[in-house]
Every structure is written in C-alpha cells, then in structure tokens.
Amino acid sequence: ARVDPTNGGLDSDNGYLFVNPFRLDPGNNNIMFLAGGNIIWRNSNLSQITNGSQEKTSTNWPRIESSVIPEGQITAMEISTTGEKWLLYGNSTGRLFKLTSAGDTAFDMEEITGADFPQAFISSISIDPSDHHNIMVVFSNYGIPSVFFSDDGGLSFTDISGNLEEHADGTGNGPSVRWGQLIPMQGGELMAVVGTGSGLYATEALSGTATTWAREGSDVVGYSVVPMLSYNPLDGRLAIA
C-alpha cells in the first residue's frame, strides 16, 4: 500500500525531497517518521492503512508541530536505539535538531547544531547503536569539512574529516561524502564507515582532523559512488549501496 500522508509534500514549505528521508521506529516498525519539508510527520500505526491502496492516506498521520525548523528543508533523520529515545534530524543549511518524546503525542525539539558546522547539506546522521551519545553527521557538499563526531550526545562536535579532505578547511580535491555509519566492535572500539563519491572508507581511530580513513572493498566497491549504508546490529552486517 501507499503510506504517505494525504496533505504531505503539497506546498513550498512542506515539499518532499527527490530522495525523501523517513525512519521506522526501531522498537516498533509500525511507527514511521517522515520528513516533509520543514516539519516531521508521525504515523502511529502503519498496519491500519488499507492494504493495496495506491492513494495517499490520512490514517494515523498527524504532523509534529514542535518539529518545525526555522529555515531550509529536512534532509536527514536518525533514531537512537539505546538510552533515551532521540530522533535527530538535519537540514539543508547545516543545522541539527533533536526531538524527544514528552508523551504519547507530544514532543520537545532542541537545536544541537555544532559550533563549527558548515552551512551545507546534511546528508546523513548516524547514532552508535550501543551508545546514543556517539553521533556522526555527514555533509555532502564539496569544499567544506565533511564529517563531524560527538561523544557527548551533541553537546559538542569535532571535525573528523581527516585525510578525506585535501586541505583542513575542506577545500581541494577530496571526495563528496554521502553517508556515514557508526559500528560498535566486539572489543569496545568504534568503527566509522563513510560512503563517498569515490568509494567506501573506514577508520577505527577517531582523532579529529588527524583521523586517517582507509579505503575498504577496493576490489569489490572500487571507486564507485556509495550514496547509502545500512547497518544491522543484530548480525553485524553492513549493506552498501
């Protein structure tokens, strides 16, 4: 069935992106969060939508009014799987927001934009599935630092672009970075993986601007564009598109 809301994507402030972000609640896959321009919609029970319908639906689709952003479009979303339930979302001008539940239907929004974030397109947000305080934010534009990391739940962020950039300020011939994923390792270390315009890179040593990223899957992925990653913490598999 088609599941998007009846009034979604119809006006300039509420328009969908060509590849539009949505997330299913990791604790209940019948709950869906959908970006709609400058606001987030929430469906409380997808299973109640009529099977087989190819029309938009009004079933269980209120807008979260407290999620409205002051500018730009919502471009990336992620939900925490440990600790407090957070929905993080970023926009097209480099601002990052945190939505927390204040009840079954009420939500509180807080801006947690990093002090050194560029005014650029946030293409991906990753939350460590073993510790929600670890957050990675990816910016896809050229000519800027592309990857930032927080280990304190977004109170502060550090540029970890490292050798993905030719120059420390992000200028030069570094690849565009499209997606990032944090992966907890069995020994307690944290691996970061990014998909770029020139393949897949990973590191297990997040050292600020001195972070060294190494190419992965050079004989399989090669220099192909990697626009998306999806990690399953239940079996440790990373899907690479």
Side-chain angles (χ1 to χ4, degrees):
R2 183 172 179 172
V3 300
D4 54 312
T6 300
N7 294 318
L10 296 181
D11 57 63
S12 58
D13 289 334
N14 193 33
Y16 295 144
L17 296 178
F18 182 75
V19 179
N20 197 60
F22 73 90
R23 283 290 182 272
L24 299 179
D25 188 319
N28 182 353
N29 281 181
N30 274 322
I31 297 176
M32 179 178 177
F33 294 87
L34 174 71
N38 67 346
I39 198 169
I40 293 174
W41 297 73
R42 178 182 183 270
N43 193 294
S44 57
N45 194 344
L46 292 173
S47 67
Q48 293 180 340
I49 294 174
T50 303
N51 287 335
S53 171
Q54 297 303 304
E55 303 297 327
K56 291 185 175 185
T57 178
S58 59
T59 302
N60 302 328
W61 269 126
R63 304 192 326 162
I64 301 177
E65 298 300 334
S66 59
S67 70
V68 173
I69 59 175
E71 62 180 5
Q73 285 183 286
I74 297 169
T75 56
M77 305 167 65
E78 188 58 286
I79 301 175
S80 62
T81 57
T82 60
E84 302 172 69
K85 180 61 69 67
W86 292 347
L87 188 151
L88 302 186
Y89 56 107
N91 77 346
S92 53
T93 62
R95 298 173 72 171
L96 183 66
F97 304 88
K98 178 172 71 176
L99 201 66
T100 54
S101 176
D104 292 337
T105 58
F107 295 84
D108 293 326
M109 188 260 272
E110 174 188 359
E111 182 168 1
I112 57 170
T113 301
D116 297 324
F117 277 10
Q119 293 184 342
F121 189 102
I122 295 179
S123 60
S124 168
I125 303 165
S126 178
I127 303 174
D128 178 357
S130 67
D131 184 350
H132 66 297
H133 293 97
N134 296 324
I135 302 167
M136 183 164 62
V137 180
V138 166
F139 296 81
S140 62
N141 301 71
Y142 291 104
I144 59 166
S146 302
V147 191
F148 288 80
F149 176 74
S150 172
D151 62 3
D152 56 15
L155 295 177
S156 62
F157 284 90
T158 302
D159 176 6
I160 59 167
S161 304
N163 64 329
L164 290 174
E165 312 293 354
E166 183 178 3
H167 305 299
D169 64 357
T171 59
N173 293 319
S176 63
V177 183
R178 313 298 179 87
W179 203 272
Q181 181 67 57
L182 294 172
I183 300 175
M185 307 299 284
Q186 289 184 350
E189 298 85 2
L190 187 63
M191 174 183 283
V193 184
V194 292
T196 79
S198 62
L200 188 73
Y201 296 83
T203 182
E204 291 184 43
L206 301 178
S207 304
T209 55
T211 299
T212 299
W213 298 84
R215 183 180 297 279
E216 298 287 341
S218 57
D219 58 338
V220 180
V221 177
Y223 291 93
S224 298
V225 176
V226 179
M228 190 174 291
L229 307 169
S230 182
Y231 175 67
N232 183 356
L234 297 180
D235 62 8
R237 293 178 181 270
L238 178 69
I240 304 154

